[in-house]
Amino acid sequence: MEEHENKEMTAQESLSLISETLNNSRRDITRRSGKYFLFWGALLTFFSLLVYLLWTITGNPAWNCLWFAMPAVGIPLERFMRRRKESERVQNDVSRINGGIWAAFGFFACAVSAFTLLFYELNDGIITNLAVAFNLTPEIALLFGLAECISGFTLKNWVIKIAGFVTGIGGLALYYITGAEKEQMFIFAFAGLVLVITGLIVKHQYK
Amino acid sequence: MMFPTLDPLLHSELRLAVVSLLIGMEEAEFPYIKEQTGATAGNLSVQIEKLSSAGYITVDKGFKGKRPCTLCRITPEGRKAFEDYVKALKSYLVKPKK
C-alpha cells in the first residue's frame, strides 16, 4: 500500500481494504508459524535417532534421559529465532491456539517422563526396572497424535488431521503389536517427520 | 435516506489498514505493521500517534534485547469504533427499499 493518508475512499473501497488486510495478515501469521513446526519436527527426529543410536551402541536405555535435553535446546533456540526477526512478535487466533496446543503437549510429555524417573531402579548404572519407562511410548505417541490432529482442525487441513491420527493410533498399535524396545524411537522419528511435513504444508497453504 | 457519518479518524486508508490489522491479532510490532501496510516509517508513526491520541490503540515503547521495540495493541474503544465504522459502511451499500 502506498501513502494514501488523504485519499478519499468509497464505502466499497473501505470494505475491500478491511477484508484484504484481515485476510493477508491471517495468512501471513499462519505461514510464519510453519517454520516452528519445521524446527521442532527436525529436532524431534534428530533426538529420536540420537537416542536410538546411543541405546543401540551402549545397550543402556538410560539414554532416554537425553529427551530432557530436547526442550532445553529447543526453547532457547526458538526464542532466538523469534528475536532475530524484527517483526516476529505477532499472533492471531490460529497461531495462538496452535502454540497453546503444542505447549500443552510439551508440558504433559515432559511431566509424564519426569514422573517415570521416580520408578527407575539402577543396577551398576543400568536401568533395570523399565516397565514404566517403556510404557511411555504409547502415551506420548497418543498425546502427539491428539495435538497434531487438533492442529489439523485449526489449520483446516485434512492431511494434518490424518497424519495426527496415523501417528497417535499407529504409534499405539505398533507398540502393542511389535513390543519393540529401542525400535520405538522410530515412532518418534516418524512423528518428527510428520511435524516437518505439517510445517511445509502450512508454509505452502498460506503462501 | 440519511447515511450515518463515517468516523473521520478511520476513514483514511492507512489508519484503516492499521486498525484492520490490529483487529485480527493481539499485538503487533511497528516493523510488522510497516511491512504489511507498505507505508513509510515517518507517515506510519504520524498515523499511529493519531490513533493513539484518540484512544483507539495503545503504543508501548520498550526494548527487545538491545533493540528498541514499539508494540501496538487495539483498545476496546478502538474495537467499538471499528465495528461502528463497518456498520456505517454497510449502510452505504444497502440498496434503499422502494
Side-chain angles (χ1 to χ4, degrees), chain B residues 1-91:
Chain B
M1 183 184 172
M2 284 289 287
F3 288 108
T5 318
L6 292 172
D7 184 340
L9 206 65
L10 292 180
H11 199 58
S12 130
E13 195 163 359
L14 184 50
R15 286 195 295 267
L16 183 60
V18 172
V19 173
S20 304
L21 203 59
L22 293 174
I23 278 284
M25 56 187 67
E26 285 176 356
E27 57 188 21
E29 285 182 17
F30 186 86
Y32 179 79
I33 301 174
K34 184 171 164 285
E35 185 185 302
Q36 291 292 306
T37 57
T40 61
N43 191 16
L44 185 59
S45 296
V46 172
Q47 305 315 323
I48 282 180
E49 180 54 38
K50 284 184 185 175
L51 290 168
S52 172
S53 301
Y56 287 2
I57 65 171
T58 58
V59 181
D60 290 329
K61 291 186 177 176
F63 283 90
K64 196 159 83 171
K66 287 177 183 171
R67 232 179 9 221
C69 163
T70 303
L71 209 55
C72 302
R73 292 186 189 90
I74 193 129
T75 62
E77 293 77 27
R79 200 170 282 277
K80 170 83 172 55
F82 180 78
E83 284 166 6
D84 291 343
Y85 178 77
V86 172
K87 207 182 288 177
L89 275 182
K90 282 180 179 169
S91 72

Side-chain angles (χ1 to χ4, degrees), chain A residues 66-83:
Chain A
L66 210 57
W67 283 111
F68 292 107
M70 194 175 120
V73 170
I75 293 170
L77 268 176
E78 190 191 309
R79 284 193 174 184
F80 174 74
M81 282 163 71
R82 285 185 193 276
R83 269 193 190 173

Side-chain angles (χ1 to χ4, degrees), chain A residues 1 3-5 7 9 14-15 17-18 22 25 28-29 32 83 86-87 89-92 96, chain B residues 11-13 15 17 20 25-27 29 32 35 37-38 40 43 47 64 67 71 85 93:
Chain A
M1 186 191 307
E3 308 213 11
H4 299 288
E5 155 64 356
K7 186 190 164 194
M9 290 186 295
S14 293
L15 283 173
L17 172 70
I18 293 167
L22 280 170
S25 70
D28 180 65
I29 298 169
R32 281 166 192 249
R83 269 193 190 173
E86 220 181 346
S87 56
R89 194 171 160 183
V90 282
Q91 269 201 332
N92 65 6
R96 196 179 54 247
Chain B
H11 199 58
S12 130
E13 195 163 359
R15 286 195 295 267
S20 304
M25 56 187 67
E26 285 176 356
E27 57 188 21
E29 285 182 17
Y32 179 79
E35 185 185 302
T37 57
T40 61
N43 191 16
Q47 305 315 323
K64 196 159 83 171
R67 232 179 9 221
L71 209 55
Y85 178 77
L93 298 174

